[in-house]
Amino acid sequence: MQAAVFHSYGEPENITIEEVPIPEPKATQIRIRVIASAIHSADIRIRKADPFLVRFAFGLFKPRTGRLGIVYSGVVEKCPEQVTVFKEGDNVFGLCDFSPGAHAEYICVPENSAIARKPENLSHAETVSLPFGFHTALHFFKKIDVQSHKTILIIGAAGNVGIAAVQLARYHGLHITTVSALHAQSKLRQLGAEKTLTVTEFKERSEFEIYDIVLDTSDKYAYSDLVKMTRADGTLILVAGIISALLLAIWHKFRRKVTILAGPASAAAQDIDFIRELAETGQIKPDVYRTFSLREIVNAHKLAESSNKLGVVVIEI
Ligand SMILES: NC(=O)c1ccc[n+]([C@@H]2O[C@H](COP(=O)([O-])OP(=O)(O)OC[C@H]3O[C@@H](n4cnc5c(N)ncnc54)[C@H](OP(=O)(O)O)[C@@H]3O)[C@@H](O)[C@H]2O)c1
């Protein structure tokens, strides 16, 4: 089968399309014929080994498997006898976070992983734009008593996680303020943002407004400023921060002030199925920016890591 493979960390040009063996499902795995995948910040971090910690998970000196692609939408193509949840021919979508490989014609995933039936009202390309951003936003929203919050500030709102956070915040009836590039503002208003600030307006504002929830996907602002913008018993969500954000979260837990949420998002099948339900009932919208073929993966990576993208960069296999 054809697959995108990279043999050394670095630039998009390190990725080539190669012929590799079709994977065989283990006893409790299913094989999926991938119809659509996408390029997300996680693929870019793995490709670049940024941060350095990536190397401990994916290969210290060079990529261990050299495979990318953590979201997929496709058709179940092979089910061993032990598999009970899915059957051949089912349309499914999901995430394979720590075992990327969806930038290929086939992928094997455990039947009990973050996988669900595809929304019936969406194409595979539309469907695959959902799981990455929404499972991340959902992971953090599930940790908050959202009903006790009224306002949210979403920084980096036009990115893949930001757009999902805006849609989930609207689903929960929150009053939404966003920070993004100017060209993203009309899209954010259509999705439910009430107040849209450009990055310059946000940086140059003379005083801080206070929000019940502040969610930052950009990692470009001082934590002390973000804490000041969060209500005393509110929640600050640092989507992008890793070790420093986790340490801050522990420190604030100890001081019992603003609750700080950080760290890797995890997803289970129920989360993916909840995303399906929200999509089928029209409460969230897919967010495809542009589609590329697998052969065009280098250009797709270049667009995905640029400021020009406004939505998800999808790969049709
Ligand atoms: N905790 C987790 O498990 C988890 C899960 C998913 C993602 N992440 C991390 O979260 C971050 C966001 O992910 P993503 O997939 O949403 O990435 P993305 O699609 O690249 O979005 C990042 C957004 O931040 C915006 N931005 C950049 N500088 C900014 C600034 N100074 N002020 C306001 N906005 C700014 C970017 O705008 P422009 O495009 O205009 O520059 C872009 O819209 C990444 O660092 C990713 O690694 C963490």
Side-chain angles (χ1 to χ4, degrees), residues 39-42 44-45 50-51 97 132-133 135-137 139-140 154-163 179-184 198-200 202-203 216-221 238-242 262-266 304-311:
I39 301 176
H40 287 294
S41 48
I44 294 165
R45 286 196 178 284
D50 170 26
D97 284 40
F132 182 78
H135 103 274
T136 306
H139 167 87
F140 292 110
I154 302 176
I155 306 169
N160 294 164
V161 175
I163 289 282
V179 181
S180 72
L182 181 66
H183 68 105
T198 63
V199 174
T200 312
F202 181 65
K203 282 182 179 163
D216 179 27
T217 76
S218 75
D219 204 23
K220 294 280 165 59
Y221 299 94
L238 299 170
V239 177
I242 307 178
S266 56
E305 69 182 340
S306 76
S307 286
N308 298 328
K309 74 152 196 233
L310 187 52

Side-chain angles (χ1 to χ4, degrees), residues 92-158:
V92 293
F93 76 118
L95 277 163
C96 46
D97 284 40
F98 287 102
S99 311
H103 294 164
E105 289 178 277
Y106 297 94
I107 187 169
C108 291
V109 298
E111 66 162 338
N112 62 358
S113 61
I115 177 172
R117 194 165 53 73
K118 179 180 88 62
E120 284 183 355
N121 54 334
L122 300 184
S123 67
H124 285 283
E126 289 170 327
T127 299
V128 88
S129 71
L130 299 173
F132 182 78
F134 278 98
H135 103 274
T136 306
L138 193 57
H139 167 87
F140 292 110
F141 273 68
K142 276 169 43 181
K143 293 177 184 263
I144 314 174
D145 175 17
V146 187
Q147 305 314 324
S148 67
H149 296 71
K150 288 195 171 58
T151 58
I152 184 167
L153 172 71
I154 302 176
I155 306 169

